[in-house]
Amino acid sequence: MGFLLLGIDSLIACIAVGAIIRRRWSVPFAALFGICDGGGFLLGSAFHWSMPDSVSNITEAVVLGVLGLYWIGIAIFSRQAALADQQSRSRWGVWILPFALSVDNITYGLVDGVSRNASVWQSAGEQALSSAILAGIGLVISMGIVYAIPALRRRMALANGICGVALIVACGVILMVG
């Protein structure tokens, strides 16, 4: 059950950015969280890369904070954010999240290693499945919020601003949860 904790960052990030993910990309986006976290676990196990937990938490928080500030900047400074052309440009940064948030899985693979009576591949699969499922749940929660607040569907600048603030709040949550 402890393997689910490594997917908490995927859940938090997807709740924060789900408002700007297009529905057709939600399944691949959630799957990418799983692939990156499973791959991070394999890297940590195979290459014995080491990183203190505090460094991985700070790294994740910094990435979330920078992306949060980026989206707040788009919401404030871009008067054309509601245009379809601008919308796609403002969403590129969201695809960095799965890679950046896999840092904790690299450390987990090294420190905690493989579960008893399990192979490395099985443990990596558990990590991937956990992160993908929790990312999907986060996206569903976020989509529910978007449908409850219709202004988020109509105004991309508002959605970007809220996602930016949510990512900055997520920085604190990830630092507290560890």
Side-chain angles (χ1 to χ4, degrees):
M1 200 60 156
F3 74 94
L4 284 174
L5 292 177
L6 288 174
I8 293 294
D9 56 355
S10 302
L11 173 76
I12 294 167
C14 286
I15 290 172
V17 301
I20 61 173
I21 296 289
R22 292 185 184 193
R23 259 195 300 191
R24 71 174 180 212
W25 291 107
S26 58
V27 171
F29 187 64
L32 187 59
F33 272 96
I35 291 166
C36 289
D37 282 358
F41 178 83
L42 288 173
L43 284 174
S45 297
F47 295 114
H48 304 289
W49 288 344
S50 179
M51 179 182 308
D53 282 340
S54 61
V55 172
S56 71
N57 290 340
I58 290 170
T59 301
E60 289 180 351
V62 166
V63 169
L64 289 177
V66 167
L67 287 172
L69 292 173
Y70 168 75
W71 280 314
I72 289 171
I74 285 179
I76 292 172
F77 297 112
S78 177
R79 293 175 188 229
Q80 300 171 357
L83 299 174
D85 183 44
Q86 193 70 9
Q87 286 179 15
S88 61
R89 288 186 200 157
S90 67
R91 293 182 179 150
W92 70 269
V94 78
W95 294 95
I96 294 171
L97 288 174
F99 297 97
L101 295 181
S102 67
V103 169
D104 61 339
N105 294 74
I106 293 171
T107 301
Y108 184 79
L110 178 66
V111 174
D112 293 329
V114 179
S115 305
R116 183 177 297 198
N117 298 327
S119 72
V120 172
W121 292 101
Q122 180 182 358
S123 295
E126 289 174 352
Q127 292 298 313
L129 186 61
S130 166
S131 292
I133 288 171
L134 290 175
I137 290 170
L139 290 172
V140 168
I141 291 169
S142 185
M143 286 178 194
I145 293 169
V146 168
Y147 282 109
I149 306 170
L152 291 175
R153 286 183 275 163
R154 290 190 307 266
R155 297 182 53 208
M156 191 63 188
L158 179 62
N160 280 329
I162 289 176
C163 286
V165 170
L167 281 175
I168 291 172
V169 169
C171 292
V173 173
I174 284 179
L175 287 174
M176 287 188 329
V177 171

